Amino acid sequence: MADRPRFGPAGVPPLFRILGAKLPDVPRLLREEGLDAFEYQAVRWGQKPQMRQEEAEKLGSEARKNDVLLSLHGTYYVNLCGKKEVVEASKRRLIACATAAQWMGAYVVVFHPGFYGRVEKSEAFGNCVKALKEVRSEMDSLGIGKVKLGPETMGRVFQVGTLDEIMTVCETVEQTQLVIDWSHLHARHLGRFRKADDFRVVVEEVERRLGTEVVRNMHCHFSKIEYTDKGERRHHILDEARYGPDFQMLAEVITDFDLRPVMICETPLLDIDAVKMRDMLGRVVKERQNGLTG
Ligand SMILES: [Zn+2]
């Protein structure tokens, strides 16, 4: 949960790797760029953490030293609505991710809930909520109760993860963190965000259902995005004018509602575009202040 809007990349920026940086160097390098969040990518993990506890703890202590808030993107190999074996394996994978999140002090495990498959959408969703409640209670009994579960809004029509579904999960499962991927919502609804008011509607809906605290503390993903009639196709950099959504509009809404999101940049430029978004928000804040005093 952020004390101010925070910005950072989804994963280690390519340039850091070229410079030969190791994982524990990442928080310091981000801080040097003026960034203050980092989403560790555990996206191809199986049923065991694929990093050593010592390495995770080192990352965590460097992050705290450099005031970088950590989150962890859980494995893609999760389907909480499938067959029993699939759901059980998915639960173990999520718990492996949560275990590593605890080691590094990441506040949330972000994840993609699953796929509707051949069953009725409402039934698939019900299975997903049931499985998540089981994951939650197992996490609590393993002593990793502090890590939040962060179901994400998804960009394809066959994936569980409409805004309504994600909010319902947050209403029914303990210790959840709302994760809004704005680009996914844009793609799923074929270009939903065309003006600032389109963002405002989402923020107001979240506030109405989940309250002011939740809306102020959203965990967000952002990228320009290309889509087809099935939804999300490819991520693009912020400067690609052909694609939406436009971060400037979201920055206005963040300012108007005094939100403090953790904004994770998922464009191919990661940290460079995260800096760009931070600066766009900074300019809007300044304009608003000048507007009030001038
Ligand atoms: Zn994701």
Side-chain angles (χ1 to χ4, degrees), residues 1-2 107 177-178 212-219 260-261:
M1 216 170 264
Y107 83 109
Q177 165 66 51
L178 180 69
T212 306
E213 270 305 292
V214 171
V215 81
R216 285 189 97 184
N217 294 292
M218 286 187 289
H219 188 87
R260 302 172 297 205

Side-chain angles (χ1 to χ4, degrees), residues 39 41 43 73-74 76 110-112 152-154 179 181 184 221 266:
E39 191 148 293
Q41 304 290 295
V43 296
H73 198 308
Y76 294 146
V110 176
F111 65 96
H112 305 169
E152 173 182 348
T153 58
M154 296 307 301
V179 180
D181 187 314
H184 284 167
H221 289 168
E266 289 194 327

Side-chain angles (χ1 to χ4, degrees), residues 7 10 22-23 37 51 58 83 97 123 130 140 145 154 164 166 177 228 234 258 264:
F7 293 86
K22 300 258 183 338
L23 186 61
M51 75 192 308
K58 187 92 179 73
K83 291 193 193 117
C97 291
E123 187 186 336
K130 179 172 167 283
D140 292 344
M154 296 307 301
D164 176 61
I166 297 304
Q177 165 66 51
T228 67
R234 191 175 297 133
D258 192 20
I264 299 297

